[in-house]
Amino acid sequence: MNQQQLDKQMWSESQTIAGLENYMKNEPGESVIILDRFDLLFSRSELAEIKRLWMQGVNLPIISKKLKRDENEVFLALFHLTFYNDGRKGGGIAIRISQIKGDAV
């Protein structure tokens, strides 16, 4: 396991522990940790690549294959990127259903 993979695993474990600590403040059965089966840690270069491909009109299934990531993880990265548009004309992304379904290039 290389350092990046180790850092990723440690971050994931710390997030799980933090979630469990928060969960334990509630009554048993009240809280649910969602999306815990997905790897939602992305490097800045991965996010930049997702954005670049998306802006070129590449669809979700193809982006997922290129990055060797689950389609749900890439979709959530795209969703994340919509909240961090830089406000410049043409600088942001928009979710297009045709690209999600795989109808686009």
Side-chain angles (χ1 to χ4, degrees):
M1 179 177 288
N2 67 32
Q3 187 61 42
Q4 183 181 11
Q5 291 170 325
L6 184 59
D7 290 346
K8 201 178 216 184
Q9 183 177 349
M10 289 177 62
W11 182 87
S12 178
E13 289 173 4
S14 70
Q15 291 299 313
T16 301
I17 291 167
L20 289 171
E21 287 172 348
N22 191 39
Y23 170 81
M24 294 176 82
K25 293 177 188 173
N26 298 319
E27 290 183 40
E30 290 294 315
S31 299
V32 176
I33 298 173
I34 64 168
L35 306 174
D36 60 336
R37 71 182 191 118
F38 295 113
D39 176 9
L40 299 179
L41 183 63
F42 289 85
S43 68
R44 292 183 192 280
S45 62
E46 284 178 306
L47 289 174
E49 179 69 358
I50 290 169
K51 182 176 181 178
R52 184 185 69 75
L53 292 168
W54 188 259
M55 297 292 284
Q56 290 177 353
V58 178
N59 67 42
L60 177 64
I62 292 173
I63 295 172
S64 297
K65 285 178 187 163
K66 280 185 176 279
L67 274 81
K68 297 180 178 140
R69 298 289 295 253
D70 183 278
E71 285 185 25
N72 294 299
E73 293 169 1
V74 175
F75 172 78
L76 291 168
L78 286 164
F79 184 69
H80 167 82
L81 289 169
T82 65
F83 288 97
Y84 294 92
N85 288 331
D86 60 13
R88 291 180 295 168
K89 185 176 181 182
I93 68 165
I95 301 279
R96 291 183 285 284
I97 298 301
S98 62
Q99 278 180 272
I100 297 295
K101 294 184 346 186
D103 297 339
V105 176

